[in-house]
Amino acid sequence: GAGVSQSPRYKVAKRGQDVALRCDPISGHVSLFWYQQALGQGPEFLTYFQNEAQLDKSGLPSDRFFAERPEGSVSTLKIQRTQQEDSAVYLCASTYSGRNQETQYFGPGTRLLVL
Amino acid sequence: RKEVEQDPGPFNVPEGATVAFNCTYSNSASQSFFWYRQDCRKEPKLLMSVYSSGNEDGRFTAQLNRASQYISLLIRDSKLSDSATYLCVVNISRGLTGGGNKLTFGTGTQLKVEL
C-alpha cells in the first residue's frame, strides 16, 4: 500500500485483557514511531525504532507496554493487563530515514476502548 | 507546564475570515517546527514546516520567533474545508541513534469555519 496501515482500526477490551496493535509502515521507511493520543489531547510519543532496534522507549507509560519490530518492517505494540486509562488512539508513524525535518507519515490509528 | 502550549479553542469564524493561532514551546533546544492538521477521527497530516524567515503556502502563513519561543499560523480567507484541529509540533533532534525525529505535539486548536 501507499501509506502507513494499522490494524485493528477499533478494539474493545475488557480490563485486564492483553491487546496487540499492528503497524505496517511505508515500504522502505527505516524509522517507526508509536504515539498515544487521548481524547482532546495531542499525540504523545511512546517509542521509536530505527530498523529493528528500539532506540527510545522513554514514552512508554508503564512496563505493561511493550513494542517490537523484529524484522525492521512491521511493528507490534502490546499492552498487557489493560486498564481504563489505556483507552486512547494509538498512532503509528514512519519516515524514510528519521533525519531532522523529515515528514512523519501517520497511519489511521487504532482506537482502543478498555471497559 | 506542557512542552508545547496552544489555546484549545474552539475558534468559530465565518467563511472568508482571517484567523491566527499561536503556540509557545518551552525547550530552547527545539530545532524543527511544524503545523499539523487533524480532521475529526483522522490521523494528523503535515500542513507546513515553520522557519524563522517565515513561510507561506497559499492562504497559510507560518512564522517562528526563536527568541520568544513562539510559533504562529495565519489562515486567510478561511474556507469551510479548513475546519479541523491544528496541532503545533516541535522536534528536538537527537540523531538517528538517539531519539530520532521524535515529535512533541501541543493539544491542538480547534477551528470551525461557518457559513
Side-chain angles (χ1 to χ4, degrees):
Chain A
V4 178
S5 60
Q6 292 186 245
S7 62
R9 292 292 310 278
Y10 303 90
K11 177 70 179 177
V12 179
K14 292 182 180 178
R15 191 163 56 95
Q17 189 177 350
D18 296 350
V19 298
L21 313 179
R22 177 187 168 109
C23 172
D24 283 84
I26 294 172
S27 179
H29 278 196
V30 299
S31 290
L32 185 146
F33 302 80
W34 283 98
Y35 294 87
Q36 179 191 59
Q37 186 171 21
L39 190 63
Q41 302 296 315
E44 292 198 0
F45 171 80
L46 293 176
T47 187
Y48 158 68
F49 289 86
Q50 184 77 356
N51 295 304
E52 69 280 1
Q54 188 176 21
L55 299 182
D56 186 347
K57 52 183 181 180
S58 61
L60 296 176
S62 77
D63 59 8
R64 297 186 295 103
F65 287 71
F66 172 77
E68 60 183 4
R69 194 187 185 197
E71 296 177 359
S73 54
V74 171
S75 177
T76 303
L77 176 67
K78 298 178 179 178
I79 309 173
Q80 296 177 322
R81 304 181 304 282
T82 53
Q83 304 294 313
Q84 286 185 321
E85 62 262 28
D86 300 335
S87 296
V89 177
Y90 290 84
L91 295 161
C92 175
S94 72
T95 68
Y96 179 68
S97 72
R99 296 188 187 282
N100 198 23
Q101 287 285 352
E102 262 193 340
T103 300
Q104 288 195 18
Y105 296 92
F106 283 81
T110 294
R111 192 171 297 268
L112 174 65
L113 176 63
V114 181
L115 302 175
Chain B
R1 182 187 172 195
K2 291 183 75 70
E3 286 193 54
V4 179
E5 299 220 37
Q6 296 181 250
D7 181 343
F11 283 53
N12 298 318
V13 302
E15 203 174 16
T18 295
V19 60
F21 302 139
N22 304 315
C23 163
T24 57
Y25 60 96
S26 60
N27 193 327
S28 59
S30 300
Q31 295 179 303
S32 304
F33 308 88
F34 310 91
W35 283 100
Y36 273 71
R37 170 188 170 134
Q38 187 170 29
D39 292 284
C40 188
R41 302 179 76 85
K42 299 286 189 180
E43 71 273 22
K45 291 184 179 177
L46 178 66
L47 178 66
M48 57 199 305
S49 300
V50 190
Y51 307 106
S52 296
S53 55
N55 49 308
E56 188 174 311
D57 182 3
R59 297 180 293 108
F60 298 82
T61 301
Q63 189 72 51
L64 166 67
N65 184 322
R66 284 188 184 268
S68 302
Q69 296 182 195
Y70 173 93
I71 305 164
S72 65
L73 176 68
L74 186 75
I75 305 175
R76 291 181 298 279
D77 188 24
S78 52
K79 311 291 185 190
L80 293 174
S81 58
D82 294 334
S83 298
T85 296
Y86 291 83
L87 295 158
C88 178
V89 186
V90 306
N91 165 43
I92 304 169
S93 183
R94 295 171 173 78
L96 296 180
T97 57
N101 200 15
K102 178 169 85 174
L103 300 179
T104 301
F105 288 79
T107 56
T109 298
Q110 189 178 12
L111 172 65
K112 296 181 181 178
V113 182
E114 302 165 331
L115 285 171

